[in-house]
Amino acid sequence: MIGLQLPSVLASVGFLATEANGEASEFLRQEIAAVVLLAIGAGVAVLAKRLKFPYTVALVLAGFAASTLGELVAVDVSPDLILALLVPPLLFEATLHLPWVKLKADLTPVLLLAVFGTAAGTLGLGWLVHATLGIPWPAAFAFGALISATDPVAVIAFFKSLGTPKRLSVLVEGESLFNDAVAVVAFTLAVGVAEGTEFSVGGAAIDFIVVSVGGLAVGAVLGYVVGAVILARLDDALIETATTLALAYGSYLLAERFGAVVGAEFHFSGILAVVAAGLMVGTVGLTNTSPTTRITLEHFWELLTFLVNSMVFLTIGLTIPPQVLLKELDAVLIALVGVLVVRLVLVHGLSIVTQRLVPRRRIPMKYRHVMMWGGLRGAISLALVLTMTAEVFGEETAETVRVMTFGVVLFTLLIQGTTMTGLIRRLGLSGTADNEMAQQRHQARIAMRRAGQSEVGRLGAEGVLFSDMADALARTYQRDIASESSSLRDHFTGHPELEASMLIQARRDALVAERSALADIDRTGLVDTQVATDLAVELNNRMAALDLIEERWES
Amino acid sequence: MKESLVYVSWGGTGQPSSVRQALKRAAEVERPMLYLAVLDPENFGDLDSPTTSLVVEELKWLLDAQLDLVKSQLGVEDHEVEVLVKVGDVAEMVEQAVKPIAPTDILVGAPLPAGYTEPDALTELLARVTGCPVTVFPARTPADSS
């Protein structure tokens, strides 16, 4: 679990409760650690939004900064915490928003990259670090597997803000969801070999199939039960939301402990179980539940993801001291070059295979560049490498693999993560972002001038300004507003592609205003509570329908 | 509505530039226009019936607003246009919609993500089942230009 080293300042002012033996309780230490991390996360989120900097990258940097404070905010991360507690909600939320209709259309390239790509990456990178750094085979393949798991959190956030095509998002997210599971299975096999389990290619292949299919089956069954039986039949936002939370953790636990449940020594992939459960709920549950529940559920998962991401990326910054990387710089550089080259070859190579297999689903060259450079590494790689103990792999080997993993994760987050926006814009995949920014500039100026005009009117009415001056200023403002409105109209005429997104955004704003008006009416008691509730449901329905139109509309 | 011009879109609101072209052409030849939007199985097939009804209602509202805007921009505020939102296979819905109105032209302008649908195949199919000339407005995503 996360354990915060006791800040002496806080202890000295009596902030921390102490037990009879003078030591603060472990529970309180963990509670304070969580509160401090969340507070930092919230602060970083505000700053990142203002500075338009990638949130997850900002969190890593904040983690670095906090780690320089020494024991003040040092954390002790357990890999189990990341894998069992933090990863399931991240995967579940991502699958909820991955429309099955879109994923199904691109299942061939997604599975090729996730299964074949991860397997090939494991072998290729394993061979590279074995041949160049002399890392023993089991540890080399363990590294190859764990570093093949991509983490698209930061990249997907860019996609959303830049308005990139939905298909690109589906390809990147889909690959990541499935390759996490494949990487974990391959990693577990490599660790098993290091622990002395006999290895054979045939046995490994069978293990892989059993673990994967079993995980998918557990998740699919539980997801179907929750989606089709509970979500589709109940109409209670709180119960349904709580059920999905239980499903996300429950499917992971049941798959991982399936052997113990049936009294045998095997397990299934918990990660694949979560993915299957999320896809099932998103497909048969969410689309069959009431709009009010859908909105509550989406807000809940959005909040939970924000909290978990804050924890994960701050922890990455806190646990990777940059100076450690300098100790084994050659190993880090070899791993980094290997990761980039393997990613380049696999993305482009498997895209060509896709084109042969499914000509209609050709992956455009621009997409391939983004998929290659967008292959960031994060929480899964970090969690897996922390499970590599000195007892199994040897002190030196475990340390080298850990440093290489830290180096690759940091490079991908800090360098690839911060240059993605530029790449997407350069490739012309940023949708209408530039035009939208120009449009927003016009709109903001109009709103600003109106505020100025209103203030001038107020000063005139109160006699602070004499009326002739107030009128003159107001007329000047009016001319500015008219000129800006005219510019906005010209801009809009020149860029009709802005119309759909602007229309949808305006409609959403209007519905929010309607909701606010309804709340006012309800507060003043002008209408019966039942009438207000019915009208609120009607508004929620409209909002949910608008979300669906926007989500599925391809610009 | 006789001697109409039918504009077809699917998967959401129509491509703004093609909606403009369609309305402009309808105004030039002085024919009423039917703006047919189809919620196709590819994009909306997974929704249940009540949710689909909500989407139909909301999309109709958006398309009415979109048309109002385009009309005023083109200065054809009084031109007769009807918005119709249907749910199902695009070709079947177009066939159903055009049967009673004997249109002179069918204009297709939908957002076509790379590889999702084949406009040529659809054009031929629509022409065959409706007996009308069918024109597809270019509606390409940025990715197609690679």
Side-chain angles (χ1 to χ4, degrees):
Chain A
M1 297 295 285
I2 294 174
L4 189 76
Q5 304 301 312
L6 280 181
S8 55
V9 180
L10 294 180
S12 67
V13 296
F15 181 80
L16 297 175
T18 56
E19 291 179 351
N21 61 6
E23 287 181 8
S25 70
E26 182 59 25
F27 176 77
L28 187 58
R29 285 156 54 96
Q30 288 174 14
E31 195 177 7
I32 294 172
V35 170
V36 170
L37 289 182
L38 285 180
I40 295 175
V44 170
V46 173
L47 269 179
K49 198 168 186 177
R50 288 225 164 153
L51 301 172
K52 298 199 168 176
F53 194 74
Y55 169 57
T56 49
V57 180
L59 282 170
V60 175
L61 294 176
F64 277 160
S67 71
T68 60
L69 301 175
E71 290 193 343
L72 187 63
V73 279
V75 293
D76 171 23
V77 185
S78 142
D80 290 339
L81 172 81
I82 295 181
L83 275 181
L85 200 63
L86 303 182
V87 169
L90 287 181
L91 293 177
F92 192 81
E93 196 268 347
T95 49
L96 274 184
H97 293 98
L98 197 59
W100 172 244
V101 280
K102 304 272 185 203
L103 180 62
K104 192 174 64 177
D106 271 316
L107 209 53
T108 304
V110 163
L111 289 183
L112 268 177
L113 280 162
V115 180
F116 185 76
T118 306
T122 301
L123 296 177
L125 288 164
W127 173 83
L128 178 76
V129 295
H130 172 78
T132 54
L133 299 168
I135 292 175
W137 281 115
F141 285 134
F143 171 74
L146 69 90
I147 211 66
S148 296
T150 54
D151 185 337
V153 175
V155 180
I156 295 300
F158 292 134
F159 287 177
K160 283 179 185 163
S161 65
L162 293 172
T164 53
K166 183 81 181 166
R167 187 182 174 214
L168 182 56
S169 217
V170 169
L171 283 167
V172 171
E173 258 188 303
E175 181 207 354
S176 167
L177 287 173
F178 289 103
N179 80 6
D180 283 352
V182 178
V184 171
V185 174
F187 176 82
T188 310
L189 285 173
V191 173
V193 173
E195 286 171 339
T197 310
E198 234 173 77
F199 178 81
S200 72
V201 175
I206 291 171
D207 272 0
F208 176 79
I209 292 168
V210 170
V211 169
S212 306
V213 174
L216 285 172
V218 168
V221 170
L222 290 180
Y224 183 79
V225 170
V226 169
V229 179
I230 300 177
L231 264 64
R233 296 189 184 181
L234 261 185
D235 188 18
D236 186 308
L238 294 180
I239 294 174
E240 289 175 61
T241 305
T243 310
T244 58
L245 181 64
L247 174 66
Y249 286 110
S251 54
Y252 181 90
L253 269 178
L254 183 61
E256 287 291 333
R257 312 280 172 203
F258 202 82
V261 172
V262 298
E265 278 193 18
F266 67 91
H267 76 102
F268 294 141
S269 165
I271 287 184
L272 272 180
V274 178
V275 169
L279 279 174
M280 200 55 94
V281 167
T283 307
V284 300
L286 268 192
T287 50
N288 288 313
T289 194
S290 74
T292 303
T293 300
R294 191 186 158 101
I295 288 170
T296 308
L297 216 141
E298 285 177 350
H299 285 174
F300 168 78
W301 280 101
E302 202 177 325
L303 171 68
L304 191 59
T305 311
F306 171 77
L307 296 177
V308 170
N309 271 327
S310 300
M311 290 285 191
V312 168
F313 286 94
L314 261 179
T315 304
I316 289 177
L318 282 165
T319 37
I320 308 179
Q323 62 273 21
V324 169
L325 304 178
L326 298 175
K327 282 188 198 163
E328 301 207 40
L329 197 58
D330 54 341
V332 171
L333 288 176
I334 287 171
L336 194 54
V337 171
V339 164
L340 290 174
V341 170
V342 166
R343 180 85 190 151
L344 181 78
V345 171
L346 286 175
V347 167
H348 286 274
L350 293 176
S351 295
I352 294 168
V353 175
T354 299
Q355 197 166 338
R356 292 275 162 84
L357 294 176
V358 201
R360 288 182 60 205
R361 305 305 300 163
R362 180 183 71 87
I363 299 175
M365 188 58 77
K366 291 175 179 179
Y367 283 24
R368 297 180 203 175
H369 296 325
V370 174
M371 288 162 72
M372 185 269 148
W373 196 243
L376 274 57
R377 271 59 167 187
I380 301 276
S381 302
L382 194 73
L384 292 179
V385 82
L386 290 173
T387 65
M388 291 181 69
T389 58
E391 291 77 39
V392 176
F393 292 97
E395 181 66 45
E396 199 183 329
T397 302
E399 180 64 16
T400 304
V401 173
R402 199 170 300 138
V403 172
M404 287 194 302
T405 307
F406 287 174
V408 173
V409 169
L410 274 188
F411 178 87
T412 60
L413 281 174
L414 298 183
I415 306 299
Q416 290 175 241
T418 49
T419 49
M420 275 303 291
T421 309
L423 178 70
I424 291 170
R425 284 189 198 281
R426 212 178 165 82
L427 291 172
L429 292 173
S430 59
T432 53
D434 289 340
N435 294 336
E436 270 179 12
M437 279 165 70
Q439 166 209 317
Q440 286 170 11
R441 212 167 282 129
H442 289 306
Q443 289 174 313
R445 281 197 192 118
I446 292 170
M448 285 156 54
R449 309 286 188 264
R450 285 229 179 276
Q453 188 185 36
S454 166
E455 178 62 9
V456 166
R458 189 185 67 79
L459 292 173
E462 289 176 359
V464 179
L465 271 183
F466 61 93
S467 59
D468 288 352
M469 180 177 279
D471 290 347
L473 285 169
R475 282 195 297 274
T476 311
Y477 262 123
Q478 191 52 45
R479 280 197 293 275
D480 286 352
I481 292 166
S483 159
E484 205 60 56
S485 294
S486 168
S487 302
L488 178 64
R489 197 166 45 247
D490 291 347
H491 179 73
F492 191 62
T493 309
H495 300 281
E497 72 276 10
L498 294 173
E499 185 177 290
S501 60
M502 199 170 168
L503 195 62
I504 287 173
Q505 186 54 46
R507 173 65 166 159
R508 178 169 289 112
D509 291 345
L511 286 174
V512 169
E514 282 189 38
R515 191 183 277 165
S516 168
L518 177 63
D520 287 345
I521 292 168
D522 189 25
R523 260 197 302 278
T524 53
L526 273 177
V527 293
D528 186 81
T529 311
Q530 187 56 47
V531 173
T533 307
D534 292 346
L535 290 172
V537 169
E538 190 183 305
L539 274 174
N540 281 345
N541 288 348
R542 285 193 171 277
M543 195 68 99
L546 190 66
D547 286 342
L548 277 168
I549 291 169
E550 186 179 33
E551 181 185 302
R552 289 157 192 239
W553 184 78
E554 286 280 355
S555 57
Chain B
M1 193 189 284
K2 287 280 173 189
E3 298 280 290
S4 309
L5 183 139
V6 176
Y7 170 75
V8 186
S9 171
W10 63 89
T13 54
Q15 290 283 79
S17 55
S18 58
V19 176
R20 272 166 185 71
Q21 288 183 59
L23 188 57
K24 205 171 175 184
R25 193 183 297 184
E28 278 166 5
V29 296
E30 296 180 343
R31 301 248 161 79
M33 181 174 119
L34 171 66
Y35 184 162
L36 173 65
V38 183
L39 298 181
D40 58 320
E42 171 110 17
N43 286 297
F44 295 92
D46 59 326
L47 302 184
D48 64 355
S49 177
T51 310
T52 305
S53 302
L54 290 172
V55 173
V56 167
E57 203 181 318
E58 188 59 25
L59 184 58
K60 170 92 168 54
W61 196 97
L62 284 172
L63 297 185
D64 280 334
Q66 183 187 30
L67 267 176
D68 202 75
L69 170 72
V70 177
K71 277 181 173 182
S72 75
Q73 285 178 336
L74 295 177
V76 293
E77 286 87 348
D78 297 329
H79 196 80
E80 191 181 344
V81 183
E82 185 193 352
V83 173
L84 185 62
V85 181
K86 282 187 158 280
V87 183
D89 176 72
V90 176
E92 278 176 31
M93 291 306 109
V94 175
E95 189 181 3
Q96 269 183 28
V98 302
K99 253 183 190 166
I101 61 173
T104 51
D105 282 295
I106 294 179
L107 310 171
V108 177
L112 297 174
Y116 264 68
T117 38
E118 292 173 23
D120 292 344
L122 184 73
T123 311
E124 284 165 22
L125 180 65
L126 289 180
R128 199 167 59 243
V129 297
T130 62
C132 286
V134 178
T135 311
V136 179
F137 289 122
R140 296 163 71 85
T141 63
D144 286 340
S145 57
S146 61

